Amino acid sequence: MSRIGKIARRTFLFGAVAVTGGAAFGYYKMVETPPNPLTPDTGAALNAYVMIDASGITIVAPRAEMGQGVQTTLAALVAEELDVTLDQITVIHGPPAKAYFNQALLGNAIPVIDYQRKPWVHDAAEFVGNAAKFLNLQVTGGSTSTRDAYVKMRDAGAQARQMLIEAAAKRLNVAATDLRTETGMVIAPDGTSIPYTDLATDAAALPARNVTLRDPSDWKILGTSQPRTDMVAKSTGTATYGVDVRLPDMRFATVKMNPKRSGMRGFDASEALLMDGVEKIIDLGDGVAVVATNTWLAMQAAEAIVFDWEDATYPADTAAQFAVIEQAFDGAPNSTARDEGDVESVPAEITAEYRVPFLAHATMEPMTTTALYTGTALELWSPNQGPILVRDWCAKAVGLEPEQVTVHTTLMGGGFGRRGEYDFAVLAARVAREMPDTPVQVTWSREEDMRHDFYRPAAIARLSGTVQDGKAVMLSADVAAPSCSHQAMERWLGRAMGGPDNELVAGVYDQPYAIPNYRVRGYKADLDVPVGFWRSVGASYGGFFFDSFIDEMAHAAGRDPIEFRLELITPEHAPSAKVLETVRDMSNWNSPLPAGVGRGVAFTYSFGTPVAQVTEVRDTGRGIKIENVWIACDPGVALDPNNIKAQMMGGCIYGLTAAIHGEITHTNGEVDQFNFPDYDGLRMASCPQIEVNVLENAPHISGVGEPGTPPAAPALANALFSLTKQRPRSLPLWRDYSFV
């Protein structure tokens, strides 16, 4: 079948957007800059990212800060071209507005495997990504924040600087070309200097100019590690997270919802209403909200209510749910994301089945939002990853127009995709509507948060492969799972979405391996357990499936696992080969292993970034300890090397936590896990030493927030095989191994 045929079958989203963008919007609408939403009371907004008044310079970061340091990096993009230092600026989150559309997120939908993209494909993706403004995609996710902002935010800083120079030129009656800038000042040849704060109003009246961005060789901030702009506030406890919002005369609430994710026949709140300080019980249809004078009291009162819940609509226990996933293999594939050579013509020599469970996001800060409803307006203080989504759905929930809703995006104690949903904000809006003119902070208990998540899908993979003369000549992978993309799109857009979902097979179909016969098919399981986007999404399990099986093939071929991978990757994608070579050298891979020590390697290409990890484990006699992890990654451009290293470390730890401990199971329709004792994390004493090397060989900037997660599980699993000679094929690993 032709590649065109494969592409057409592989995706529906890109085609729909391309037609919509080209025909309905037109070229000029596609490239048109959305209006500036900033209207400061004093000073001036030079564009959607730069505000200057007498007190100083404010840079708008359009993406949510959930611990990943993105607001520092985004501010640095502007500051570099504006010619100011980071200690001269204040960083805020932008309001809901088309100006902050995520171009890169939609551009990723173009149906060409990321590592195979030619320059013209990147250009096409950038153009198609412009349609995100019409779809209101102001979203933090998909490891796209720096990828999206890399040009547009530098351009905003450079344009603002040029406008300030021209304003100074008029004031001094000199040529703009004779002026220079330095640390927030425009400086004339005679040494006369004018602060940006004195020029802002005049500059804002000037038109934006076409500008030339600084060559990376001239960067002063970018490319070097910077102190986080949120470091002091977070270190001193003065940072405002969602749970920290405090307003005059505020009330506090929590929710108690059906743990079977269905309706409610009735409830008895008589005992809760007798508690001193409990002010109101609000019927939400599938649960209640308890409003009280403090959060703890609201939670205690919620526990005192007796409920009559309806039963779950999905299979009630984990075994039955996996049976539905397994049945998906009996139907037609939802997608054939890769189909090279002729898999059927090569007899399979190696076969394996892998399984992974549902996973919760388990953010440290549970779901929360503060809302104030006046009857004609709604104001929200919400830690969220999609401000326009929150604004529009909350407006609908309380019967207002989106223009009547104001959203303040706070810092958040973790997101991982969970706060890309809007349910927690809508519940707060509904509670506030029942308490007009009174601000109400709705905070979920940990138990509600854990049991009402949109989980990372459980999945099953069936793989087969063939090696000849020490080389992989065939690999076939079938993956079955519920579709988080289809579920999320239906929730967000309010209507069902069809078509193939390549995210279901991410981390499997998109790997840079030159295997002559290489096929990947996805099977969508018709299972309505609520699922959603979880850090690194499909690659979080696809990386485990694919790379573990590659390791099986390497051992079947009698080859060194790294050399086996390099032979397949080198002709396909040189930057990916380089991260493998780098991690080989970092870990001293070829050195003899001491007794009781195992070492495993894994590689996953995700979100545009190739990442290789080597994990070393030791049998202590009391259990297995993960001692060392070496990571090499290549994001193309290292805007802040230390922050990238931190993201790789955090992603790895998140992946190790899931691999060892993570699982969501069901009994009688309810989630069995209630809190961290039931859903443990990797503790400090168990955390390995981690070393990271950041390369810059890839031709384009890519993401770093998620790519550190997918290789963590297979690298650990492959190390366990090296140690025990038993091949882990299902997660979590605590069921088969004892860790210390």
Side-chain angles (χ1 to χ4, degrees):
M1 179 177 290
S2 71
R3 182 169 295 274
I4 292 176
K6 297 173 192 175
I7 289 173
R9 187 176 68 248
R10 196 156 64 204
T11 181
F12 67 97
L13 180 59
F14 172 74
V17 169
V19 170
T20 303
F25 300 134
Y27 174 82
Y28 293 105
K29 279 292 182 183
M30 286 284 282
V31 300
E32 183 180 53
T33 300
N36 183 356
L38 304 177
T39 56
D41 295 331
T42 60
L46 277 68
N47 52 51
Y49 300 97
V50 180
M51 292 189 295
I52 303 176
D53 60 19
S55 65
I57 302 166
T58 298
I59 291 178
V60 174
R63 304 290 170 252
E65 178 58 70
M66 43 193 164
Q68 78 277 42
V70 70
Q71 290 194 350
T72 300
T73 301
L74 297 186
L77 290 167
V78 178
E80 180 68 67
E81 298 289 344
L82 188 58
D83 216 353
V84 296
T85 57
L86 289 180
D87 59 1
Q88 291 183 283
I89 64 168
T90 299
V91 185
I92 64 171
H93 191 287
K98 289 184 183 294
Y100 306 120
F101 69 98
N102 191 329
Q103 188 174 15
L105 187 68
L106 190 57
N108 284 346
I110 196 166
V112 177
I113 294 174
D114 192 276
Y115 78 86
Q116 294 178 341
R117 293 185 175 190
K118 306 299 183 186
W120 71 267
V121 179
H122 281 272
D123 293 341
E126 183 176 340
F127 176 75
V128 170
N130 281 305
K133 71 182 78 139
F134 306 109
L135 301 175
N136 288 330
L137 290 180
Q138 183 185 354
V139 176
T140 305
S143 293
T144 56
S145 293
T146 54
R147 202 172 185 175
D148 175 71
Y150 181 56
V151 173
K152 66 171 68 168
M153 291 191 72
R154 285 191 295 149
D155 196 59
Q159 285 188 6
R161 174 177 171 270
Q162 186 60 37
M163 293 160 71
L164 290 160
I165 288 174
E166 291 185 15
K170 287 187 177 182
R171 185 176 298 186
L172 298 172
N173 196 26
V174 299
T177 53
D178 291 336
L179 301 176
R180 63 183 180 89
T181 59
E182 186 177 342
T183 60
M185 311 272 285
V186 179
I187 303 171
D190 64 0
T192 300
S193 61
I194 308 176
Y196 287 175
T197 51
D198 291 350
L199 294 166
T201 302
D202 292 344
L206 299 173
R209 307 291 189 191
N210 291 326
V211 290
T212 300
L213 300 179
R214 288 180 173 174
D215 188 87
S217 62
D218 296 324
W219 284 350
K220 302 174 183 177
I221 301 173
L222 298 176
T224 60
S225 298
Q226 301 296 323
R228 292 266 297 264
T229 58
D230 56 351
M231 182 185 299
V232 173
K234 288 182 175 179
S235 300
T236 58
T238 57
T240 301
Y241 290 83
V243 293
D244 296 322
V245 172
R246 292 294 181 269
L247 300 170
D249 302 318
M250 192 160 86
R251 297 295 185 269
F252 301 85
T254 195
V255 293
K256 185 77 172 180
M257 298 172 287
N258 187 343
K260 300 179 182 182
R261 310 298 282 265
S262 190
M264 177 177 64
R265 299 185 186 95
F267 64 94
D268 179 1
S270 55
E271 187 175 334
L273 287 168
L274 293 175
M275 294 182 177
D276 188 28
V278 173
E279 298 188 1
K280 197 166 189 176
I281 309 292
I282 300 169
D283 187 342
L284 298 172
D286 59 349
V288 302
V290 180
V291 182
T293 52
N294 64 72
T295 300
W296 180 244
L297 174 60
M299 291 180 178
Q300 294 302 297
E303 292 302 312
I305 299 174
V306 178
F307 294 94
D308 184 8
W309 301 121
E310 293 180 359
D311 291 332
T313 59
Y314 46 77
D317 59 70
T318 301
Q321 292 164 7
F322 266 95
V324 172
I325 296 173
E326 194 165 16
Q327 288 169 7
F329 289 118
D330 297 332
N334 168 262
S335 68
T336 301
R338 192 158 184 164
D339 192 1
E340 297 173 1
D342 186 358
V343 167
E344 300 295 340
S345 68
V346 184
E349 296 177 350
I350 311 157
T351 60
E353 181 175 287
Y354 288 81
R355 295 187 175 217
V356 296
F358 292 104
L359 293 176
H361 294 82
T363 61
M364 190 58 64
E365 178 190 37
M367 297 301 103
T368 183
T369 290
T370 300
L372 173 61
Y373 175 82
T374 65
T376 59
L378 175 68
E379 193 165 6
L380 300 161
W381 292 261
S382 182
N384 72 90
Q385 294 175 240
I388 294 180
L389 198 68
V390 165
R391 181 197 67 187
D392 292 356
W393 280 101
C394 286
K396 183 177 181 180
V398 299
L400 296 175
E401 296 299 319
E403 294 74 21
Q404 295 173 283
V405 179
T406 301
V407 179
H408 307 281
T409 298
T410 67
L411 295 174
M412 56 193 77
F416 314 122
R418 176 62 180 93
R419 286 187 161 95
E421 302 289 343
Y422 57 82
D423 56 316
F424 53 92
V426 166
L427 285 173
R430 292 176 61 192
V431 171
R433 183 178 57 182
E434 302 301 315
M435 302 284 292
D437 301 315
T438 302
V440 184
Q441 184 176 95
V442 181
T443 303
W444 298 18
S445 68
R446 175 63 60 195
E447 290 75 13
E448 287 298 297
D449 189 286
M450 192 72 73
R451 305 184 87 197
H452 292 86
D453 203 344
F454 295 96
Y455 303 105
R456 198 285 306 274
I460 303 173
R462 293 173 175 173
L463 301 105
S464 59
T466 305
V467 293
Q468 293 176 1
D469 301 323
K471 299 180 181 181
V473 297
M474 187 275 283
L475 188 148
S476 176
D478 292 340
V479 180
S483 170
C484 60
S485 298
H486 285 181
Q487 278 202 26
M489 290 303 103
E490 185 169 357
R491 286 194 298 271
W492 298 353
L493 302 179
R495 59 183 182 273
M497 302 292 290
D501 176 16
N502 280 356
E503 193 58 52
L504 195 150
V505 290
V508 182
Y509 84 94
D510 47 4
Q511 299 308 292
Y513 281 76
I515 301 174
N517 303 284
Y518 182 0
R519 183 182 67 192
V520 179
R521 299 180 295 194
Y523 293 80
K524 179 187 171 186
D526 187 17
L527 180 65
D528 58 355
V529 173
V531 294
F533 299 123
W534 186 94
R535 191 176 191 175
S536 74
V537 203
S540 67
Y541 56 80
F544 171 65
F545 296 155
F546 184 86
D547 194 86
S548 295
F549 191 69
I550 286 289
D551 210 66
E552 291 202 48
M553 294 180 74
H555 285 281
R559 298 285 304 281
D560 173 83
I562 287 184
E563 293 306 313
F564 182 79
R565 287 171 173 82
L566 278 173
E567 189 173 71
L568 297 168
I569 291 176
T570 299
E572 195 77 1
H573 192 242
S576 292
K578 189 62 179 177
V579 299
L580 263 173
E581 292 170 348
T582 301
V583 84
R584 175 194 61 195
D585 298 340
M586 291 169 64
S587 63
N588 198 17
W589 175 265
N590 292 321
S591 63
L593 283 174
V597 174
R599 194 183 291 150
V601 64
F603 168 88
T604 308
Y605 185 103
S606 65
F607 303 94
T609 301
V611 180
Q613 295 184 13
V614 168
T615 296
E616 194 169 78
V617 298
R618 180 168 60 89
D619 187 348
T620 67
R622 298 177 294 108
I624 296 171
K625 179 171 177 54
I626 309 171
E627 293 209 314
N628 295 289
V629 174
W630 296 271
I631 304 173
C633 65
D634 189 344
V637 181
L639 295 174
D640 188 321
N642 280 352
N643 196 46
I644 294 171
K645 290 179 181 179
Q647 284 300 290
M648 289 296 142
M649 292 179 182
C652 175
I653 293 170
Y654 197 73
L656 290 174
T657 287
I660 297 170
H661 302 290
E663 65 174 339
I664 290 293
T665 58
H666 289 79
T667 302
N668 295 326
E670 300 184 20
V671 168
D672 298 315
Q673 291 72 27
F674 282 69
N675 208 317
F676 286 120
D678 306 312
Y679 196 85
D680 207 356
L682 195 68
R683 304 302 179 97
M684 292 180 69
S686 301
C687 191
Q689 292 290 321
I690 303 176
E691 181 184 344
V692 182
N693 198 323
V694 182
L695 309 181
E696 296 181 271
N697 297 312
H700 303 282
I701 190 168
S702 57
V704 296
E706 296 169 278
T709 297
L716 175 57
N718 295 337
L720 291 172
F721 174 78
S722 169
L723 177 67
T724 68
K725 305 311 175 189
Q726 296 178 347
R727 175 67 63 181
R729 288 184 177 143
S730 65
L731 302 179
L733 294 166
W734 70 265
R735 293 187 175 277
D736 299 308
Y737 300 87
S738 176
F739 293 89
V740 294

